Amino acid sequence: MTGPAGIESRLFRLSPAAEIVPAPDIPASFAIPGDVLAGLRGSRQPPCLLSADTAALLEHFRTPMTLADGIHAHCRESGADPLSTLDECFGVLVALSRHGLLEPADTSAPPPDGPRHAAADVIGPAALDTLVRKVRDTEIWLGHLTAEPSRRVAVKIVDEPASGRRLVSTEAAALRLLDGDGAPRLNAVLPSDTGGVLITEWVEGRPVDLAATDGPGRCRTARRVLARYAALHALGVLHGDVHPGNILATADGEILLLDFGLAGLPGQDGPPRPAGGEALDPQAAGALRDGIAVPPLDPVAEQYALATVLFRILCGAGYLDLDAERGDALRRITDDRPRRFAQAGGPCWPAGERVLRRALRKDPKRRYPDLAAMLVAFDCALQRPARWFEVPEELAADLRRAVADLDVGGRWWGHRADPDSCAHAAGFLRRAALLAGDPDAADLAAMWRALAGGRLPSGPQPGSPAARFEGALRRYRRTGRAAALATARRLAAELARAPDPGMPHVHTGPLAALLASLECADPWQADVPSSLPAQTAAARRSIASRQASGPRSR
């Protein structure tokens, strides 16, 4: 176990500003009974979703102690094994210390910082009713118009000498430009030397990553969010602060954007990029890592930030694991590939995954030219519906057995010393994970690929049943002709009759036959193996055209 210098021996406590509340009624893929939301009063950081076990562990730090002592105390109370718990939880506690929920015990207690205003105060045309949120420089109240008591409004009070005036004027200008289209309508603005007050219509809703309750609902929500940002960019406006808390989904499915204080407006220089959070793009992360100036925000950088939000909407988890020390988190943003949907518990949806992977390219020049083009690609992907962990009934049991055979101690575990067997095992599990949305298969694929030295299997021999099957499936995806799919299914049956090679293999035997059956069950979702030759530009255009119009026959 490693960590920042001295962290093993330093005393930590639960921050006095910490608030821990039961998680709201949100989809089961996000939370389970007993989970909690933990956050800091007055912080701009979104709260963390923690398991009941982690919340119980945190409770021990109401008395200052080292991280290891806290884990041991939790184990004595819960009966868990101390060594395994220490190994599993130490990194979690380090991440929570970075978040601020745990803080060094010698940290000075924060001074009392109550709201500057009280209920029933009148500010301009509004009277304050309930404090909704308070951070260091901003209070947000639910209020009503004094002239129309039944009309509820949001009152945002900014008091920040350094930048408050610019934040208020920028947000007011953006809201005036949008005029209620995709954002709350502005009722009044009262500028001051340190900021001012913005009074807007009050809108009920939920953050978009918590709004959808099922798979199709997540796809619809993601599409609406992307369309909202495409419309915003078409006006020449950059939001400037893209994260789920600033994107509201109303009960009728409308998407509204909040907090335009950092927006970029037509005719102005680009606003600053965010200096932290999941939406940090590789160029900003690299600048922060190297200690140089972060470049201003541009539409392609905001496209990256939006893609991180869409990934979280669809999968219920981040596109990267960023619960790490800051330097390592910045390195992951600049260097690591986004997780596959299957690894993040998301849908089996290769078509949609390809859209987000392009928007999350490290090189900005390889992303979409604009959000309008990304929306067109996303709409094409929606013609191939996402599946959440659904496999045809007749194949589900075979797939479970195949994955179990490749698990530690399974039928094929004895072949782990053979690099070729490991490569084929990794190739099977990788494709099975993408086709079936199986996170266990995705995790095992990474393990077998590591055993293979990073290799995947080479392509099948030309003229073999596997090569002819893949060719027939590609023809069907390119042309939509039923005859090509019939050929692919006939060749899949031929693969099933081939003798068992006695080792994991993706070109012959039971594993190859199972993959072929899965791909034939939904050939438009099938992922072309990375070992196959790259498609020509003409072929890619043909496939895109077919996917936009749909097959002529089945």
Side-chain angles (χ1 to χ4, degrees):
M1 257 178 332
T2 61
I7 200 169
E8 295 91 343
S9 58
R10 196 169 190 180
L11 298 180
F12 283 84
R13 70 180 181 195
L14 185 64
S15 170
E19 287 189 352
I20 301 176
V21 298
D25 183 18
I26 53 181
S29 58
F30 291 81
I32 60 175
D35 283 0
V36 301
L37 289 175
L40 296 171
R41 290 187 300 274
S43 172
R44 290 186 180 275
Q45 294 187 86
C48 300
L49 180 64
L50 304 178
S51 68
D53 194 53
T54 302
L57 172 59
L58 272 181
E59 288 296 323
H60 290 282
F61 289 92
R62 294 193 183 275
T63 300
M65 60 182 66
T66 66
L67 301 185
D69 286 344
I71 292 172
H72 282 296
H74 175 64
C75 290
R76 286 195 300 271
E77 184 176 283
S78 64
D81 175 62
L83 289 178
S84 61
T85 305
L86 190 67
D87 186 52
E88 293 171 1
C89 294
F90 191 85
V92 174
L93 293 180
V94 170
L96 292 177
S97 73
R98 302 297 177 192
H99 189 277
L101 286 167
L102 286 177
E103 63 181 22
D106 54 2
T107 302
S108 300
D113 189 20
R116 298 175 178 83
H117 298 272
D121 284 358
V122 175
I123 300 178
L128 306 183
D129 295 325
T130 305
L131 180 64
V132 175
R133 189 180 181 202
K134 183 186 184 308
V135 294
R136 180 178 54 84
D137 55 5
T138 304
E139 295 177 15
I140 299 176
W141 288 77
L142 169 61
H144 64 272
L145 294 180
T146 54
E148 302 177 62
S150 63
R151 187 173 171 189
R152 299 197 300 173
V153 293
V155 183
K156 182 175 183 178
I157 306 166
V158 179
D159 186 5
E160 169 55 59
S163 60
R165 191 168 186 174
R166 177 181 57 81
L167 292 173
V168 170
S169 63
T170 299
E171 181 156 13
L175 293 177
R176 288 192 188 102
L177 179 63
L178 296 174
D179 194 25
D181 183 14
R185 192 177 301 278
L186 181 66
N187 292 109
V189 56
L190 309 172
S192 71
D193 290 340
T194 59
V197 178
L198 293 158
I199 301 174
T200 65
E201 65 176 324
W202 177 263
V203 182
E204 294 283 356
R206 306 181 79 176
V208 287
D209 59 331
L210 306 181
T213 58
D214 55 25
R218 293 190 214 174
C219 287
R220 289 192 298 270
T221 299
R223 200 269 178 198
R224 288 167 179 161
V225 171
L226 177 53
R228 176 59 65 200
Y229 273 93
L232 187 73
H233 281 205
L235 293 173
V237 178
L238 299 177
H239 186 189
D241 195 8
V242 179
H243 65 78
N246 279 343
I247 310 171
L248 204 65
T250 65
D252 59 3
E254 185 181 2
I255 300 298
L256 295 178
L257 306 183
L258 309 177
D259 200 349
F260 284 85
L262 299 175
L265 301 175
Q268 295 184 358
D269 294 336
R273 296 191 194 200
E278 188 173 85
L280 197 66
D281 69 289
Q283 286 62 51
L288 292 169
R289 180 195 58 198
D290 298 338
I292 61 178
V294 176
L297 186 67
D298 58 36
V300 182
E302 187 151 284
Q303 177 186 138
Y304 188 98
L306 177 59
T308 70
V309 173
L310 298 180
F311 191 104
R312 183 167 286 280
I313 292 170
L314 291 167
C315 298
Y319 78 110
L320 289 173
D321 178 7
L322 298 178
D323 282 339
E325 189 273 329
R326 179 174 173 81
D328 189 34
L330 294 175
R331 182 201 59 75
R332 294 180 190 183
I333 292 172
T334 58
D335 298 345
D336 289 1
R337 290 185 176 184
R339 292 193 285 188
R340 308 307 297 249
F341 279 9
Q343 292 173 302
C348 168
W349 192 24
E353 188 166 350
R354 284 189 284 271
V355 174
L356 291 198
R357 287 179 77 81
R358 178 173 175 182
L360 290 169
R361 293 279 192 181
K362 305 299 183 185
D363 181 357
K365 295 178 182 177
R366 301 184 67 187
R367 298 173 200 156
Y368 291 96
D370 52 42
L371 292 186
M374 184 178 174
L375 181 59
V376 170
F378 196 85
D379 282 339
C380 288
L382 285 173
Q383 297 180 37
R384 315 299 167 205
R387 298 198 313 270
W388 265 260
F389 306 100
E390 293 180 4
V391 176
E393 189 66 31
E394 65 273 15
L395 299 176
D398 291 341
L399 180 60
R400 285 194 297 270
R401 278 194 297 270
V403 173
D405 286 344
L406 290 164
D407 207 343
V408 176
R411 173 189 175 192
W412 300 117
W413 185 241
H415 291 260
R416 64 189 182 277
D418 176 18
D420 285 340
S421 294
C422 292
H424 278 272
F428 168 82
L429 289 163
R430 172 184 171 274
R431 288 171 66 186
L434 295 176
L435 290 164
D438 186 340
D440 292 335
D443 291 342
L444 288 172
M447 179 188 73
W448 280 98
R449 189 169 183 177
L451 292 172
R455 291 173 48 208
L456 287 172
S458 58
Q461 290 295 322
S464 67
R468 286 184 286 132
F469 167 79
E470 291 173 350
L473 200 62
R474 285 199 301 276
R475 282 195 300 276
Y476 177 70
R477 288 201 298 268
R478 186 174 67 249
T479 67
R481 293 175 180 168
L485 182 58
T487 300
R489 286 174 172 159
R490 176 178 58 78
L491 290 166
E494 187 176 332
L495 286 171
R497 292 192 295 270
D500 190 331
M503 60 171 281
H505 211 289
V506 295
H507 302 321
T508 187
L511 295 185
L514 179 55
L515 279 181
S517 298
L518 285 168
E519 291 181 328
C520 283
D522 192 352
W524 291 98
Q525 297 281 30
D527 183 49
V528 178
S530 60
S531 58
L532 291 176
Q535 297 165 334
T536 65
R540 288 197 297 271
R541 286 195 297 270
S542 176
I543 291 172
S545 175
R546 286 302 314 168
Q547 290 181 335
S549 60
R552 289 191 293 270
S553 61
R554 289 277 180 175

